[in-house]
Amino acid sequence: TGIYASRDHLYVLGLFGGDSTIVHQFNFTTAGAEYQATGSINGTLGWNNPQLRLSEYEGDLRAVTTDVDGAHHLNVLRPDADHPDQLATIATLPNAAHPEPIGKPGEDIYAVRYVGPLAYVVTFERIDPLYIVDLHNPAAPFIAGSLEATGYSDYLQPLGDHLLLGIGYETAAHDGRVVNAGIKIGLFDATHPDAPALLHEEVIGKGGSVSPVSGNYHALSILKDPQNDRYKVVVPAQVHDGLLMFGDPDWGYYAWQSSRFRLFDIDANTNVISSSGDLVVA
């Protein structure tokens, strides 16, 4: 059901028993990939970029899963010293020492990203909480901080060692449902994991607008200045901002207006983001 590769290992994953994920680890060698170990974790990797729920860091595999009850878990696996063909789970979150759940009841996971010893998790039902999980001690992970913002990010792009660019959707409520109300761009500062901050947010288009980044993060283009921590980021967008086709202005669906690229300049030294405007292609 999934494949993830680090610099040193290949991981092949499958569904096991309906609500567990089995993980096979292979070592990369000069002769190819050689089988090393197998382990299992509670829950599955979900539907949205499941490979991004996995990350290897200093020999440990970190994985965020969701069980049949909708609860989310962060798992840390490591080869067993006594049984080298087994991947042992050395920690999970929530746990007895840190029982706080990842997400509120009913919230799905929309994005996961790892940067070194930190994990970033976006959950969503009505409002977007961004959770930062501290994994400096892989045997004792804990939620270091969180931040709530309207809408949600379904892709997180690290910029440098403390900035995250979130790409997703603004939302509106209608008849008990949540509907998309434009493409949402947010820049988050995680310099202090216990107090993440939203530096910038903007909405492109109205109801009906979509960005292909949501389904394929390779659609996002990034250039980094090799001399400093400045980035140019291009977000493609199908913008609906014409006539209101149905609904009301707060939640309705608008006619397609144009296909365009939105260019952002981001300085990770000063935490400044600016928009250089749009390139309209259709």
Side-chain angles (χ1 to χ4, degrees):
T1 59
I3 294 175
Y4 165 73
S6 68
R7 186 182 299 274
D8 300 315
H9 298 105
L10 171 69
Y11 295 92
V12 179
L13 303 105
L15 192 62
F16 181 72
D19 189 37
S20 295
T21 297
I22 191 165
V23 183
H24 300 294
Q25 182 190 63
F26 295 80
N27 292 332
F28 286 132
T29 73
T30 56
E34 294 183 352
Y35 173 77
Q36 175 62 37
T38 295
S40 65
I41 45 181
N42 182 32
T44 60
L45 297 171
W47 52 271
N48 187 31
N49 290 324
Q51 71 277 20
L52 294 182
R53 291 200 187 195
L54 300 158
S55 172
E56 185 182 279
Y57 184 70
E58 296 184 344
D60 294 329
L61 178 68
R62 294 89 58 88
V64 174
T65 57
T66 303
D67 65 26
V68 290
D69 297 320
H72 310 303
H73 309 273
L74 187 144
N75 312 268
V76 183
L77 288 81
R78 178 183 297 173
D80 191 306
D82 297 324
H83 305 280
D85 62 341
Q86 297 179 16
L87 284 176
T89 300
I90 66 167
T92 60
L93 186 72
N95 54 51
H98 298 284
E100 302 87 358
I102 302 172
K104 301 178 180 66
E107 290 182 341
D108 292 327
I109 288 181
Y110 274 67
V112 178
R113 205 66 197 260
Y114 300 85
V115 180
L118 297 176
Y120 302 93
V121 182
V122 170
T123 62
F124 178 78
E125 184 183 29
R126 296 285 182 178
I127 198 166
D128 171 1
L130 169 68
Y131 293 91
I132 301 181
V133 179
D134 191 313
L135 286 151
H136 280 87
N137 180 357
F142 64 93
I143 296 175
S146 63
L147 171 71
E148 289 192 350
T150 61
Y152 63 89
S153 300
D154 54 13
Y155 178 67
L156 296 172
Q157 174 62 49
L159 299 173
D161 58 2
H162 68 284
L163 292 182
L164 283 174
L165 183 69
I167 300 172
Y169 295 93
E170 186 58 282
T171 57
H174 168 62
D175 196 23
R177 298 183 297 112
V178 174
V179 296
N180 291 349
I183 302 164
K184 182 73 171 285
I185 309 295
L187 184 66
F188 302 93
D189 181 9
T191 302
H192 304 288
D194 59 339
L198 177 62
L199 300 177
H200 174 88
E201 61 179 345
E202 66 179 81
V203 178
I204 303 172
K206 297 178 181 178
S209 300
V210 295
S211 173
V213 175
S214 294
N216 179 7
Y217 56 85
H218 294 292
L220 184 68
S221 296
I222 301 174
L223 288 177
K224 182 180 183 295
D225 189 323
Q227 304 301 319
N228 52 49
D229 280 339
R230 299 189 65 177
Y231 299 83
K232 289 187 179 295
V233 179
V234 177
V235 180
Q238 304 288 333
V239 177
H240 288 238
D241 198 5
L243 294 175
L244 179 63
M245 303 299 289
F246 63 83
D248 64 39
D250 291 331
W251 61 265
Y253 184 90
Y254 288 78
W256 174 83
Q257 185 184 57
S258 64
S259 299
R260 62 183 67 176
F261 296 100
R262 175 68 56 88
L263 175 64
F264 295 94
D265 291 289
I266 301 173
D267 191 327
N269 291 307
T270 61
N271 292 348
V272 172
I273 178 173
S274 58
S275 174
S276 301
D278 293 343
L279 172 64
V280 178
V281 294

